[in-house]
Amino acid sequence: DVHCSNVGQTYGNFVDNLRLYVRGGSGGMGLPRLGGQGGKGGDVWVVATKNMTLKRIKDKFPQKRFVADAGANSGVRALKGERGADKEILAPVGITVTTDESRTLGDLNVEGDRVMVAKGGSGGSLYSAFQPSKGEAKHIRLDLKLIADMGLVGFPNAGKSSLLTALSNATPQIASYAFTTLKPEIGKLIYDDYKQISVADLPGLIEGAHMNKGMGHKFLKHVERTKQLLFVVDVCGFQLASKTPFRSAFEAVQLLTKELELYKEELLSKPALLVVNKMDLPDAEDKLAELKEQLQNPEEFSDLLPEDMIPQNYLTFRHVVPVSAITGFGISHLKSCVRQSLDEDAALEVKATHREKLQALRKQSQGRA
């Protein structure tokens, strides 16, 4: 049976883009009889900061409104009004800042990069009949820069690189980016209608050399910058070294889940597919049947794992796809599951953006009424 088994669906809360309202501060009033000049309104900036995520911004500022301070009015005591304070939005590194119309305002590639998103109004002066101007107001989008649509997650023996080669139309290429030191291998899947989907893998990492110490942040960083996750396990399980215990495919799935959870829990809310590789091995069919049963009721089988390796929440995979990267079995089917999963999310995203814009329009018309 080679259909996409769709095992439940949970739409997660990994945030890879945010729409915010920003407004510069208004200028201060001028003072006509003494020629006094009002202070300029503050500007709004987006600033790249360490250890920040878009989800944190969303949780901390549910209103998603950022307004800079107004400039002070000119007065007898201070003819030149004080400038309004700027407003800084602390954002993660590796972000593109755009307007609602998709015009790029700037990129945050390294810590400390700044992009001005809304200018403060100028203070009232002789040239404006001492009337101040309002600050700029607009909606902006913060988008996490992606390295690929799908990110591979798996232990070294799972056959990730041979899978990437089997899926790709050409030899996967090493790519480099301005916003990260990662140099993942990127494979391109090309479909009959010429649509392209990219898949990223970080080669040359012994991800679980010390099972409990984690695969290293470097490996998991590439997973953050993909839309969805592609877990890859060896159907017959694995043993990393002669001293480490043998792990079944089910245990491998849970260990990988635990690794992601320890690194950044919100990663687990990304949509995920499970590829069960090496179906050409003897007994593979029986082992696959066993794995599927275990994934249906993970709680019943978690006593196979040491306490500190049991994830807090089990992942629900959109598709469980058996393949053999060596013989090519299941590869074209996997390509269609990947496409289906990404298309599904793209459609949901269009709906969500549409809804958000409609709500904004309704609010505007209520404001006018």
Side-chain angles (χ1 to χ4, degrees):
D1 88 314
V2 192
H3 63 291
C4 289
S5 30
N6 215 336
V7 194
Q9 288 188 348
T10 44
Y11 292 109
N13 55 353
F14 185 87
V15 182
D16 58 11
N17 65 71
L18 266 189
R19 187 166 176 264
L20 310 173
Y21 173 78
V22 293
R23 195 176 79 217
S26 303
M29 296 286 287
L31 189 61
R33 60 194 173 94
L34 297 174
Q37 191 172 352
K40 180 188 171 308
D43 305 321
V44 183
W45 295 81
V46 181
V47 184
T49 319
K50 249 227 280 289
N51 303 328
M52 180 49 78
T53 68
L54 291 178
K55 186 174 184 317
R56 268 187 214 158
I57 302 176
K58 189 180 175 179
D59 292 347
K60 196 173 172 188
F61 304 100
Q63 299 293 312
K64 299 190 285 189
R65 287 173 66 85
F66 297 88
V67 180
D69 290 354
N73 296 334
S74 167
V76 179
R77 289 205 183 83
L79 276 183
K80 194 164 181 0
E82 281 223 8
R83 194 182 183 295
D86 288 348
K87 184 71 153 182
E88 292 192 342
I89 304 169
L90 302 182
V93 172
I95 289 276
T96 304
V97 187
T98 57
T99 63
D100 245 359
E101 295 71 46
S102 305
R103 190 168 59 82
T104 300
L105 297 173
D107 292 300
L108 305 178
N109 286 325
V110 294
E111 205 186 326
D113 278 359
R114 306 165 63 80
V115 176
M116 191 201 284
V117 290
K119 245 197 169 107
S122 41
S125 67
L126 181 60
Y127 306 107
S128 65
F130 298 97
Q131 289 303 307
S133 59
K134 284 195 164 122
E136 267 185 323
K138 55 165 93 89
H139 278 96
I140 60 165
R141 274 178 64 108
L142 305 183
D143 282 286
L144 194 65
K145 295 182 179 206
L146 296 181
I147 57 177
D149 298 307
M150 301 295 255
L152 293 177
V153 182
F155 290 117
N157 72 309
K160 286 185 302 170
S161 60
S162 49
L163 178 69
L164 195 58
T165 305
L167 281 170
S168 303
N169 283 50
T171 314
Q173 300 292 311
I174 303 278
S176 60
Y177 303 91
F179 56 91
T180 172
T181 55
L182 294 181
K183 290 198 166 29
E185 264 194 320
I186 305 284
K188 283 249 191 308
L189 283 55
I190 301 176
Y191 291 81
D192 293 343
D193 60 355
Y194 303 111
K195 171 151 174 99
Q196 295 196 9
I197 287 174
S198 52
V199 179
D201 180 30
L202 266 189
L205 272 172
I206 305 187
E207 286 106 320
H210 312 293
M211 297 301 282
N212 332 2
K213 293 219 173 58
M215 300 175 200
H217 280 193
K218 191 170 171 204
F219 166 72
L220 291 165
K221 263 205 168 101
H222 92 284
V223 174
E224 267 184 276
R225 297 196 175 272
T226 58
K227 291 179 189 164
Q228 302 194 358
L229 310 180
L230 205 52
F231 277 57
V232 187
V233 295
D234 178 333
V235 67
C236 293
F238 71 103
Q239 188 170 11
L240 274 177
S242 53
K243 292 194 184 77
T244 58
F246 173 80
R247 300 283 180 208
S248 68
F250 173 73
E251 290 172 293
V253 170
Q254 304 317 333
L255 289 170
L256 291 166
T257 306
K258 186 69 182 172
E259 295 281 6
L260 261 70
E261 190 181 275
L262 291 171
Y263 171 67
K264 207 170 264 181
E265 209 174 329
E266 57 177 279
L267 285 182
L268 292 176
S269 57
K270 282 181 186 279
L273 283 71
L274 175 62
V275 181
V276 187
N277 195 8
K278 307 198 184 175
M279 287 302 293
D280 50 283
L281 294 174
D283 301 332
E285 284 297 335
D286 297 345
K287 295 246 166 59
L288 175 67
E290 190 184 341
L291 171 63
K292 282 187 168 173
E293 187 194 342
Q294 290 169 323
L295 289 173
Q296 292 287 351
N297 314 296
E299 287 83 1
E300 285 178 36
F301 297 97
S302 59
D303 53 359
L304 304 167
L305 286 165
E307 196 60 37
D308 60 346
M309 293 185 197
I310 300 174
Q312 286 170 351
N313 293 296
Y314 295 101
L315 258 182
T316 306
F317 295 102
R318 285 190 175 182
H319 303 292
V320 177
V321 191
V323 305
S324 164
I326 290 174
T327 67
F329 162 77
I331 293 294
S332 65
H333 175 60
L334 172 58
K335 278 179 75 168
S336 60
C337 284
V338 164
R339 169 96 187 244
Q340 188 188 327
S341 186
L342 284 163
D343 285 353
E344 211 171 286
D345 269 22
L348 283 174
E349 186 145 322
V350 168
K351 263 194 187 141
T353 310
H354 192 66
R355 219 183 14 246
E356 213 168 70
K357 288 193 175 167
L358 268 176
Q359 282 170 343
L361 283 170
R362 278 202 196 106
K363 268 190 192 153
Q364 270 181 351
S365 56
Q366 281 167 358
R368 290 200 191 102

